Amino acid sequence: QMQLVESGGGLVQAGGSLRLSCAASGRTFTRYDMGWFRQAPGKEREFVAFIRWSGGGTYYSDSVQGRFTISRDNAKNTVDLQMNSLKPEDTAVYFCAAKYRDASSSSDDRDFDYWGQGTQVTVSS
């Protein structure tokens, strides 16, 4: 089992920034690609960002492209999500997830093997 623990959520005004972090343990971190997803009340979970095991091969949903940046530190077993220019519609519970690495990238949550418990992000207008 891999354990994933998110931190860094909170309340921020529109236009502000937050940095989420996810700490991984229990498995060899570099064998996993990582992703961030979010779920707003009454909505389905949606893809936010993805990063390959090596730190390259990042991509983002259209709704966050240019505002959010995913990164990872393989020495510390962490993956971060820097969120800038936050909007009220970014309000959600944010989850990090791990996908055993293979040749494919993915934005489909069914492809991910392990999930954190989530951290709440609330953006006020």
Side-chain angles (χ1 to χ4, degrees):
Q1 290 286 335
M2 173 181 271
Q3 290 77 44
L4 300 172
V5 180
E6 301 96 337
S7 61
L11 174 65
V12 64
Q13 289 188 332
S17 299
L18 279 176
R19 187 176 184 90
L20 305 183
S21 186
C22 174
S25 62
R27 287 286 187 267
T28 302
F29 189 56
T30 51
R31 291 181 179 173
Y32 291 85
D33 300 327
M34 299 297 294
W36 283 95
F37 292 78
R38 67 187 182 187
Q39 187 167 21
K43 295 187 177 181
E44 293 186 354
R45 186 165 56 192
E46 65 171 354
F47 167 76
V48 175
F50 175 91
I51 188 166
R52 299 285 290 182
W53 68 273
S54 61
T58 59
Y59 71 95
Y60 303 88
S61 67
D62 290 345
S63 61
V64 308
Q65 177 75 48
R67 299 187 297 122
F68 291 11
T69 303
I70 189 171
S71 61
R72 65 189 291 162
D73 186 333
N74 286 340
K76 296 182 179 179
N77 291 358
T78 58
V79 58
D80 290 353
L81 185 69
Q82 177 66 42
M83 306 185 295
N84 298 329
S85 303
L86 283 160
K87 305 175 181 180
E89 51 264 44
D90 294 318
T91 295
V93 178
Y94 282 71
F95 300 90
C96 72
K99 168 185 167 296
Y100 194 81
R101 78 187 204 203
D102 56 25
S104 65
S105 300
S106 179
S107 60
D108 188 337
D109 60 2
R110 295 170 296 180
D111 291 333
F112 286 77
D113 305 296
Y114 299 105
W115 293 83
Q117 82 290 347
T119 186
Q120 176 70 47
V121 171
T122 304
V123 184
S124 63
S125 57

